[in-house]
Amino acid sequence: MYTWIRTFIAIAALAVVGIVATTSASRGFEIAGASNDMPANPQIVGIEKWLNSEPLTLQQTRGKVVLVDFWTYSCVNCLNTLPYVKDWDQKYRNQGLTVIGVHTPEYPFERSPKNVSAAVSRLGIRYPVALDNQNATWNAFNNQYWPAVYLFDKQGRIVYSHFGEGDYSKTEAKIRELLAQAN
């Protein structure tokens, strides 16, 4: 009897935590410009493997607008943002946008390069994806969320970030604004 009650309470508590986490993650929020706890010049570091690209550095992308998308393939919120990120890559790649997916795993099975590669293929992702299995890039950005989008201007400065789902038109407007700026 007591085991049943404890199990019920544990399941109910997990359900409440899941609902709160999903609700707050799905709302998302955005910080215009760099926040106080964001490094001035974060780098992509500690990458185990690159998919769809040779290794990249942010220094190599100077002169382009860069969108860095922190995601993981089993995160529902990440999967919900993916169509927008893929669309921006397709629409703006030839205009100077570089999209870099940083796959930072939440669960052990997401650390497998084979699993990530299969997901990238299945999901139709064509832009570079960095496998951040040790959370080195995640930590370099002081990131705390899946999904998280960071936009860099052509001079390599973070000028926009958004965490969670939503505000897609605002993010796309910022991409267009940055692409229109002269070097």
Side-chain angles (χ1 to χ4, degrees):
M1 177 74 169
Y2 291 113
T3 303
W4 181 84
I5 292 172
R6 281 188 287 187
T7 302
F8 177 77
I9 290 171
I11 291 170
L14 286 172
V16 168
V17 168
I19 290 168
V20 169
T22 301
T23 302
S24 61
S26 67
R27 287 189 182 140
F29 56 96
E30 155 285 302
I31 301 169
S35 68
N36 292 335
D37 61 344
M38 190 179 302
N41 192 19
Q43 297 298 312
I44 296 174
V45 294
I47 300 305
E48 178 178 320
K49 182 175 181 170
W50 284 86
L51 303 173
N52 299 335
S53 173
E54 293 297 317
L56 283 174
T57 66
L58 291 175
Q59 184 67 30
Q60 291 171 304
T61 64
R62 286 284 163 88
K64 294 183 175 256
V65 174
V66 179
L67 184 151
V68 173
D69 177 37
F70 284 91
W71 72 291
T72 187
Y73 72 83
S74 69
C75 165
V76 172
N77 301 106
C78 297
L79 295 175
N80 289 341
T81 64
L82 193 55
Y84 297 93
V85 177
K86 287 170 36 180
D87 184 57
W88 297 329
D89 175 55
Q90 183 181 14
K91 280 201 303 201
Y92 301 113
R93 179 182 290 205
N94 292 335
Q95 297 176 41
L97 176 68
T98 297
V99 175
I100 300 172
V102 178
H103 184 273
T104 308
E106 183 174 10
Y107 302 109
F109 64 88
E110 295 172 327
R111 293 186 192 290
S112 164
K114 180 179 162 189
N115 290 350
V116 180
S117 181
V120 165
S121 178
R122 182 180 69 252
L123 296 167
I125 297 171
R126 296 198 170 107
Y127 49 82
V129 175
L131 277 59
D132 185 28
N133 282 344
Q134 302 305 314
N135 293 37
T137 298
W138 175 283
N139 292 334
F141 276 71
N142 287 336
N143 191 48
Q144 299 176 36
Y145 309 99
W146 291 280
V149 168
Y150 296 88
L151 279 175
F152 290 77
D153 66 13
K154 294 175 184 179
Q155 290 74 42
R157 298 177 301 233
I158 294 177
V159 294
Y160 176 89
S161 58
H162 181 80
F163 309 112
E165 296 181 53
D167 281 339
Y168 303 114
S169 60
K170 188 173 185 179
T171 302
E172 185 167 5
K174 190 64 175 181
I175 291 169
R176 279 192 239 142
E177 175 189 321
L178 291 169
L179 289 171
Q181 291 176 356
N183 287 330

